[in-house]
Amino acid sequence: MVTDHRKLPRRRGEALNAAIFQATLDELAETGYARLTMERVAERAGAGKASLYRRWPTRLELVMDAVYEVLPDPASTPDTGTLRGDVLAALRGAAEVLAGPAGE
């Protein structure tokens, strides 16, 4: 049963973006990029298709923003005491994220 998104409480800003990004990553994990559609992401996020197209004109832009959202912040690299340790820790963090749906 599909719920009409217009009858749900209205979300805006970060709450809406978070739901859309999560729906995008879930859809990527389930169907892959080739079969990902804006319609399915909107349905999964409980949002209107128009709200997606207003923010992201293409699915490529949507997927890129969703992936960037889950990647570690480069400004907050761990301080291990050595440059080599810092770089390795940052790369391991990025590799963990990219091993999931964001990397597919």
Side-chain angles (χ1 to χ4, degrees):
M1 181 174 114
V2 176
T3 304
D4 187 356
H5 73 276
R6 293 170 293 188
K7 300 199 188 303
L8 297 172
R10 194 166 189 173
R11 293 171 295 173
R12 296 175 188 258
E14 289 306 312
L16 179 59
N17 285 349
I20 292 170
F21 290 153
Q22 187 59 54
T24 302
L25 294 173
D26 292 344
E27 195 65 26
L28 275 173
E30 234 177 74
T31 64
Y33 181 75
R35 296 183 54 208
L36 182 132
T37 65
M38 298 291 258
E39 291 81 9
R40 297 262 319 189
V41 171
E43 181 181 318
R44 187 180 283 249
K49 205 167 45 169
S51 66
L52 267 72
Y53 280 110
R54 245 190 323 272
R55 291 168 176 81
W56 303 279
T58 66
R59 68 184 178 145
L60 175 62
E61 291 173 283
L62 171 61
V63 169
M64 286 177 52
D65 280 353
V67 170
Y68 288 148
E69 186 68 22
V70 296
L71 285 175
D73 181 16
S76 64
T77 55
D79 185 7
T80 63
T82 67
L83 175 60
R84 182 178 190 280
D86 294 351
V87 171
L88 286 173
L91 291 174
R92 283 186 187 113
E96 285 178 25
V97 170
L98 294 175
E104 293 177 14

